[in-house]
């Protein structure tokens, strides 16, 4: 049908021998498919989501730096509590940037450095004791499992069961505070690098690639978004600890292992972030939801919204401590995993068909 | 197949508009006063783009239109900014043109002064505003801001997540949509209502009227390429009539196609919902009319103006029907509590409000009287407002309304409605 229009416009273009080469102003653009305005969508991804989320995370890391330093300089129960609360807030804000695993973040494995878990306790201890250790040492990919938010979790929550002893350790030896500072500084410089890339060249590269093909940014974003929900949220936060796909359960492989009472809420925050990207933040954002509605797919939009709601409610029904949940009742957690998986299936079938998306990442876990 | 023939027809029409200069008869023209018209025999060329020059200097300028459209976009964001929006901040922007976060938008010029102030509908023979007509419209939009602020922007809620879920008779949030007790989004009502009361009214009832009405002195200046002293002082080289036409153009095409929140956005939407060729025909008519004006062919300029009046009015009518139908479909699909249907119907009620600013070139009056529009709105707002349409029997009213709107134009409800699944 589209070809036909082209044919006719071309016909008229040539038959108009008079003054007008009739070219509508701005007739080209991202409206190739009904309701899919790639330019508007990609701009919203950058301006409404990625950059503001990275900025929020970067700002939160500065707060973390301040509060961690206060604790290191003056280790008391009060400063420890403050550092912990800020760390948790930072972990929550981090969930939002985890969705943007492309561009420089993907090339540099940013996500693995920020939130690789389970963290390697022995390696962290070695790093703390290593007197020649500097912040640059954390750039070594061998140390990818001993840094980021999980490593900080270990140091402020997991050095000992007793807060008093953790505080004593910091009082007695400056190496703990010093290493904690390295960990935070490393996250700050790494995040700033990604943020600056977004604000600089990458924004243009990303938003200008409006191709309808699988190499276009729209296809890339949707692919990574689905992958984020599937691998990072469904499997990483719920399925793996519970033992999905008949694998052995791994209750230790949760976020915030050393303050596990936070693990469920981090998963909820992550799902809500994914939902926010789907719905769109701003009033008339060209979000995936808006695109479906514009394409008269209120049915599919409603299905996805309902499945997000069900996912959140199901995770909310779990024990706040996912380690305990997985240890004591993995079946309930597997049932939650199934609820999350329903949305994966919807996105990997209905959504990509509707939007003409080609999945870029193939997996072998039997979906 | 039906779609195909429609497509062919509009493609043919596009060719017609683009190729035929001498006998353009695509609109229902008001030719009742042929004696007044001048320059019918003057030949001219229409450029391929909206570019016009005098002595090597561009004569096209519509920065004021671009400014106000961008001001509107920022105010729209504020209207749903539960975290930091305030009544005072919005009023300062809307009523004074001050304190925009984008400093380039700060100006003594502001949107409120341009609401319902067109020469055709809101001014008398002396070009003085008739308050009794204009004031209710201005107050209507003022009130929407005040109501929205009272519900959501008075600091009661830290953010959107803190807003309680709305129920019939209770304002709140549905999905991500902030709604009043009738499930109406005031911000949408404001935005879509202003498409009629502000942009459409400015374009088809004010600037196109100014540019085409027969004032001997203005036409003499235009024919002679006379630049007023005021404009010379500003360093611009357009005639007054040329500039009026450009200001009409600017209210449609003054910001990027993706950035526009008013008329242009919905011209594109209508184009994409199956009215192929509409956007190009509107752009072409602006271009031809401007070329005609510069040449002094006021007959052709009038014809293009009338074509634009009819087509831009039709855009509003199509979109009104589209959203009423979409709202109906969304409710039938169960998508009310997630905010989808209330959002559709809120856009719909805004476009319905805008119908009173349409302009039928055959009658020089709106296609729908104010009274008729008020009847539609009363129906939409009656009882529990949009909530009542959860009841299937009530939804027949949406169809009746759609039919009444569509019958004024050459499209059917089915053509304007979203394709249902």
């Amino acid at each position: 049908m589209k070809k036909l229009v082209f044919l006719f416009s071309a016909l008229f273009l040539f038959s108009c021998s008079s003054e007008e080469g009739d070219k509508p102003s701005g007739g080209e653009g991202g409206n190739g498919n009904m309701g899919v305005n790639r330019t508007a969508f990609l701009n919203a991804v950058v301006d409404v989501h990625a950059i503001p989320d990275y900025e929020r995370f970067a700002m939160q890391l500065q707060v973390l730096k301040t509060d961690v330093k206060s604790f290191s300089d003056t280790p008391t129960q009060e400063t420890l509590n403050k550092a912990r609360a800020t760390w948790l807030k930072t972990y929550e804000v981090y969930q939002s940037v985890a969705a943007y695993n492309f561009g420089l973040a993907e090339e540099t494995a940013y996500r693995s450095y920020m939130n690789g878990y389970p963290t390697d306790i022995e390696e962290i201890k070695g790093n703390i004791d290593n007197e020649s250790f500097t912040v640059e040492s954390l750039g070594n990919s061998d140390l990818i499992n001993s840094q980021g938010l999980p490593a900080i979790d270990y140091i402020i929550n997991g050095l000992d069961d007793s807060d008093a002893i953790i505080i004593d350790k910091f009082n007695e030896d400056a190496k703990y505070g010093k290493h904690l500072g390295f960990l935070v500084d490393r996250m700050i410089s790494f995040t700033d690098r990604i943020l600056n890339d977004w604000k600089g060249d990458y924004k243009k590269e990303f938003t200008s690639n409006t191709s309808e093909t699988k190499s276009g940014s729209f296809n890339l974003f949707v692919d990574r978004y689905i992958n984020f929900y599937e691998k990072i949220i469904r499997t990483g936060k719920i399925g793996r600890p519970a033992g999905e796909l008949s694998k052995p359960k791994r209750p230790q492989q949760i976020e915030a292992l050393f303050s596990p009472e936070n693990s469920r809420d981090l998963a909820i925050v992550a799902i809500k972030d994914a939902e926010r990207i789907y719905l769109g933040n701003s009033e008339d954002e060209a979000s995936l939801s808006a695109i479906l509605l514009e394409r008269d797919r209120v049915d599919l939009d409603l299905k996805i919204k309902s499945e997000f709601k069900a996912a959140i409610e199901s995770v909310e029904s779990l024990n706040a401590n996912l380690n305990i949940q997985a240890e004591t009742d993995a079946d309930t957690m597997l049932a939650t995993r199934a609820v999350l998986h329903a949305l994966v299936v919807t996105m990997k079938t209905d959504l990509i068909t509707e939007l003409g998306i080609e999945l870029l990442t193939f997996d072998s876990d039997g979906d | 197949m039906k779609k195909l023939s429609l497509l062919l027809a509009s493609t043919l029409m596009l060719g017609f508009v683009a190729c035929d200069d001498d006998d353009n008869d695509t609109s229902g023209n008001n030719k009742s006063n042929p004696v007044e018209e001048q320059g019918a025999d003057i030949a001219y060329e229409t450029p391929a783009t909206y570019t016009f020059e005098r002595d090597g200097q561009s004569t096209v300028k519509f920065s004021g239109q671009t400014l106000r459209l961008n001001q509107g976009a920022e105010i729209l964001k504020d209207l749903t900014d539960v975290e930091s929006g305030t009544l005072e901040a919005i009023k300062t922007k809307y009523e004074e043109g001050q304190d925009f976060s984008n400093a380039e938008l700060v100006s003594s010029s502001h949107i409120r002064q341009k609401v319902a102030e067109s020469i055709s509908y809101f001014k008398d023979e002396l070009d003085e505003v008739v308050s009794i007509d204009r004031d209710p419209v201005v107050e209507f939009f003022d009130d929407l801001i005040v109501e929205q602020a009272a519900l959501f922007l008075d600091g009661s809620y830290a953010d959107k997540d803190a807003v309680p879920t709305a129920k019939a008779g209770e304002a709140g949030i549905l999905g991500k949509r902030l709604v009043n007790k009738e499930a109406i989004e005031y911000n949408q009502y404001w935005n879509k209502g202003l498409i009629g009361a502000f942009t459409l009214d400015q374009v088809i009832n004010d600037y196109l009227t100014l540019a085409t009405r027969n004032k001997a002195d203005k036409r003499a200046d235009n024919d002679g390429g006379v630049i007023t002293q005021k404009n010379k002082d500003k360093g611009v080289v357009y005639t007054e009539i040329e500039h009026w036409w450009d200001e009409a153009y600017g209210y449609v095409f003054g910001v990027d196609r993706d950035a526009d929140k008013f008329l242009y956005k919905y011209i594109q939407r209508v184009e994409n919902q199956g009215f192929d060729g509409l956007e190009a025909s509107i752009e072409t008519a602006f271009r031809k009319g401007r070329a005609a004006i510069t040449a002094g062919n006021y007959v052709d300029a009038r014809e293009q103006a009338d074509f634009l009046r009819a087509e831009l009015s039709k855009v509003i009518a199509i979109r009104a029907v589209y959203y009423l139908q979409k709202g109906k479909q969304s409710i039938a699909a169960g998508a009310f509590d997630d905010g989808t249907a209330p959002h559709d119907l809120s856009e719909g009620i805004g476009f319905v409000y805008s119908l009173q600013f349409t302009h039928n070139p055959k009658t020089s009056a709106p296609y729908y009287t104010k009274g008729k529009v008020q009847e539609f709105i009363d129906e939409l707002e009656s009882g529990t407002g949009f909530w009542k349409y959860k009841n299937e029997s009530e939804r027949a009213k949406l169809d009746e309304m759609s039919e009444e709107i569509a019958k004024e134009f050459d499209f059917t409800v089915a053509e304007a409605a979203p394709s249902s699944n």
Side-chain angles (χ1 to χ4, degrees):
Chain A
M1 198 83 117
K2 216 183 314 160
K3 277 206 180 107
L4 197 65
V5 182
F6 258 106
L7 199 133
F8 272 92
S9 326
L11 188 67
F12 279 102
L13 199 66
F14 289 113
S15 67
C16 283
S17 55
S18 60
E19 68 286 343
E20 296 182 19
D22 185 55
K23 181 89 178 69
S25 79
E28 65 287 332
N31 286 330
N33 302 347
M34 182 181 149
V36 184
N37 182 335
R38 288 181 182 73
T39 305
F41 179 85
L42 297 174
N43 279 320
V45 164
V46 177
D47 295 331
V48 183
H49 295 283
I51 288 181
D53 285 349
Y54 273 114
E55 279 176 337
R56 216 157 48 94
F57 185 51
M59 273 166 57
Q60 185 59 37
L61 283 169
Q62 293 296 338
V63 180
L64 182 64
K65 183 183 167 92
T66 303
D67 290 349
V68 155
K69 187 168 186 309
S70 298
F71 172 56
S72 303
D73 290 350
T74 320
T76 64
Q77 187 68 51
E78 196 189 350
T79 53
L80 176 59
N81 290 348
K82 185 117 191 275
R84 284 173 171 171
T86 302
W87 167 83
L88 178 60
K89 175 76 184 157
T90 308
Y91 214 156
E92 288 172 0
V93 176
Y94 165 77
Q95 304 296 335
S96 67
V97 303
Y100 315 119
N101 190 40
F102 38 87
L104 189 59
E106 184 182 23
E107 285 165 32
T108 56
Y110 171 77
R111 213 158 59 173
S112 302
Y113 283 94
M114 292 294 122
N115 189 27
Y117 62 92
T119 198
D120 187 333
I121 299 172
E122 291 313 312
E123 203 165 83
I124 296 172
K125 285 180 180 165
N127 295 345
I128 293 172
D129 290 336
N130 181 350
E131 286 176 9
S132 62
F133 202 89
T134 68
V135 67
E136 279 79 29
S137 311
L138 291 166
N140 181 346
S141 62
D142 289 343
L143 300 184
I144 199 163
N145 290 324
S146 52
Q147 58 182 296
L149 291 156
I152 297 173
D153 181 30
Y154 169 68
I155 294 176
I156 63 177
N157 290 309
L159 275 182
D160 198 277
D161 287 343
S162 152
D163 286 2
I165 293 175
I166 295 176
I167 293 164
D168 281 350
K169 284 186 185 229
F170 271 77
N171 269 318
E172 282 160 18
D173 197 328
K175 68 183 181 182
Y176 295 104
K178 194 172 148 199
H179 193 69
L180 203 47
F182 289 155
L183 292 172
V184 177
D185 284 344
R186 158 75 174 162
M187 293 180 74
I188 288 174
S189 61
F190 205 156
T191 301
D192 285 348
R193 202 177 142 208
I194 305 291
L195 177 57
N196 288 334
D197 187 54
W198 267 108
K199 286 180 164 174
D201 295 342
Y202 192 61
K203 173 178 173 167
K204 190 153 181 275
E205 182 188 326
F206 180 78
T207 56
S208 64
N209 185 357
T210 55
S211 164
E212 289 181 32
T213 68
K214 70 173 184 177
S215 65
S217 294
F218 182 65
N219 196 103
L220 175 74
F221 179 82
V222 176
D223 172 79
R224 294 304 145 92
Y225 174 72
I226 295 173
N227 187 260
F228 165 67
Y229 184 78
E230 179 184 17
K231 301 297 182 192
I232 301 297
I233 296 179
R234 182 206 68 188
T235 292
K237 298 182 200 299
I238 306 293
R240 189 181 298 118
E244 66 180 5
L245 305 170
S246 307
K247 289 173 189 157
K249 66 180 178 183
R250 296 188 175 86
Q252 303 291 310
Q253 294 195 19
I254 58 166
E255 287 184 303
L257 180 64
F258 306 99
S259 48
E261 67 279 9
N262 298 314
S263 52
R264 180 196 65 191
D265 286 350
L266 289 171
I268 294 169
V269 168
I271 300 173
K272 287 185 172 171
D273 284 330
E275 184 189 33
R276 192 164 297 143
I277 291 173
Y278 174 76
L279 295 174
N281 263 349
S282 62
E283 176 54 31
D284 64 348
E285 184 180 325
S287 61
L288 292 170
S289 169
I291 287 172
L292 290 184
L293 290 173
E294 194 62 31
R295 294 173 68 82
D296 304 329
R297 287 304 306 272
V298 63
D299 58 328
L300 180 54
D301 176 62
L302 199 62
K303 188 177 184 206
I304 293 173
K305 282 173 177 165
S306 312
E307 287 173 347
F308 264 121
K309 192 159 176 261
I312 291 164
E313 284 171 3
S314 185
V315 176
E316 279 172 347
S317 74
L318 297 176
N319 191 310
N321 181 329
L322 293 179
N323 175 261
I324 292 175
Q325 180 71 57
E327 288 285 9
T328 60
D329 182 7
D331 285 348
T332 296
M333 204 164 168
L334 284 172
T336 294
R337 189 262 181 201
V339 175
L340 269 61
H341 182 67
L343 177 53
V344 173
V345 172
T346 301
M347 293 199 289
K348 288 176 96 166
T349 55
D350 300 345
L351 182 68
I352 67 164
T353 306
E354 180 65 29
L355 300 179
I357 298 293
E358 200 172 318
L359 290 178
L360 305 171
T361 23
F362 295 96
D363 48 43
S364 51
D365 64 4
D367 293 321
Chain B
M1 227 23 216
K2 189 186 65 183
K3 208 166 181 189
L4 186 69
S5 56
L6 195 83
L7 198 138
L8 278 173
S10 40
T11 312
L12 287 164
M13 237 167 76
L14 176 66
F16 188 57
V17 173
C19 295
D20 194 334
D21 260 346
D22 304 324
D23 186 27
N24 188 334
D25 197 22
T26 50
S27 58
N29 296 309
N30 178 1
K31 292 184 175 171
S32 54
N33 289 319
V35 282
E36 282 187 16
E37 299 297 7
Q38 300 159 280
D41 301 329
I42 296 176
Y44 55 92
E45 285 199 1
T46 303
T49 60
Y50 202 88
T51 311
F52 298 90
E53 293 182 344
R54 178 168 285 116
D55 303 329
Q57 190 179 339
S58 172
T59 56
V60 180
K61 191 163 180 286
F62 44 80
S63 51
Q65 284 63 45
T66 303
L67 174 91
R68 279 183 287 271
L69 292 174
N70 286 328
Q71 286 181 337
E74 184 170 321
I75 294 169
L76 283 172
K77 278 189 194 163
D78 294 348
L79 280 171
T80 52
D81 185 356
V82 175
E83 278 173 57
S84 43
T86 66
L87 175 61
E88 200 187 342
I90 294 168
K91 281 168 71 99
T92 305
K93 292 176 187 182
Y94 176 61
E95 298 176 9
E96 297 169 35
Q98 301 299 306
D99 291 353
F100 284 92
S101 62
N102 174 0
E104 287 174 14
L105 302 182
V106 172
S107 166
S108 58
S109 164
H110 52 84
I111 292 175
R112 189 173 182 268
Q113 71 194 149
K114 298 294 180 186
V115 171
E117 64 94 53
S118 65
I119 205 106
S120 293
Y121 289 170
F122 297 98
K123 290 180 181 170
D124 61 20
E125 308 80 64
L126 301 170
D127 292 353
E128 297 289 339
V129 169
V130 182
S131 303
I132 195 169
D133 293 333
R134 178 175 192 245
D135 289 356
V137 180
V138 174
E139 279 164 23
F140 171 78
F141 290 100
D142 287 352
D143 287 349
L144 289 179
I145 294 174
V146 170
E147 298 280 339
Q148 175 76 354
L151 286 178
F152 304 115
L153 310 180
D154 68 346
S156 300
Y157 307 116
D159 52 35
K160 264 189 175 179
D161 292 342
V163 179
T165 300
K167 292 186 253 196
E170 280 179 41
I173 196 162
L174 294 172
K176 64 171 186 173
R177 309 297 181 185
L178 299 168
V179 298
N180 76 355
K181 63 187 169 62
E182 282 110 18
I184 298 172
E185 287 178 278
Y186 283 130
N187 56 303
Q188 284 300 329
Y189 206 170
W190 193 82
N191 183 1
K192 274 55 183 185
L194 280 181
I195 287 177
F198 162 52
T199 47
L200 183 76
D201 188 53
Q202 285 288 295
V203 173
I204 67 175
N205 304 323
D206 197 60
Y207 284 121
L208 291 182
T209 304
L210 279 167
T212 54
R213 69 178 173 170
N214 193 354
K215 294 259 180 182
D217 55 338
K218 302 292 182 197
R219 286 194 174 173
D221 280 358
N222 188 60
D223 291 340
V226 176
I227 316 300
T228 62
Q229 189 58 46
K230 199 175 118 202
N231 282 339
K232 278 185 190 158
D233 293 345
K234 283 197 280 186
V236 295
V237 293
Y238 44 71
T239 68
E240 280 188 277
I241 294 184
E242 286 172 335
H243 189 49
W244 284 325
W245 190 274
D246 292 344
E247 287 178 295
Y249 176 86
Y251 269 125
V252 178
F253 296 111
V255 299
D256 277 1
R257 56 189 298 116
D258 289 328
D260 187 74
K261 304 287 184 211
F262 294 91
L263 200 44
Y264 188 21
K265 176 174 177 176
Y266 291 96
I267 292 171
Q268 297 175 52
R269 294 290 177 92
V270 170
E271 165 90 26
N272 288 336
Q273 69 175 93
F275 291 85
D276 305 72
L278 177 108
E279 181 181 345
S281 74
I282 288 169
E283 196 276 335
T284 304
F286 269 115
R287 205 152 27 85
K288 284 172 73 90
R290 176 55 152 82
I293 278 175
T294 298
N297 187 332
Y298 302 107
V299 176
D300 279 9
R302 165 73 67 105
E303 285 184 358
Q304 298 307 323
D306 282 348
F307 175 79
L308 288 167
R309 286 181 173 126
E311 290 302 293
L312 292 172
S313 295
K314 191 167 91 175
V315 167
I316 304 295
I318 289 171
R319 229 34 206 184
V321 171
Y322 173 87
Y323 283 117
L324 294 178
Q325 291 296 311
K326 195 172 173 85
K328 191 189 82 170
Q329 290 178 9
S330 294
I331 297 171
F336 190 100
D337 295 352
D338 70 333
T340 301
H343 181 66
D344 298 334
L345 294 173
S346 296
E347 300 207 62
I349 197 172
F351 277 105
V352 165
Y353 185 88
S354 285
L355 293 173
Q356 61 190 294
F357 306 96
T358 56
H359 189 141
N360 183 344
K362 289 177 185 157
T363 63
S364 299
Y367 286 89
Y368 313 88
T369 63
K370 235 180 252 182
K372 189 76 216 166
V373 170
Q374 194 57 49
E375 268 178 42
F376 293 151
I377 287 172
D378 288 347
E379 158 55 29
L380 290 164
E381 291 181 341
S382 70
T384 54
F386 297 161
W387 292 97
K388 67 179 174 286
Y389 298 118
K390 280 191 162 190
N391 182 344
E392 194 180 348
S393 64
E394 294 280 354
R395 295 205 286 275
K397 296 273 180 48
L398 296 173
D399 285 333
E400 288 167 24
M401 210 181 292
S402 301
E403 292 292 347
E404 280 204 68
I405 295 168
K407 77 176 184 207
E408 298 295 335
F409 284 95
D410 59 354
F411 66 85
T412 64
V413 171
E415 283 164 349
S419 59
S420 54
N421 310 268

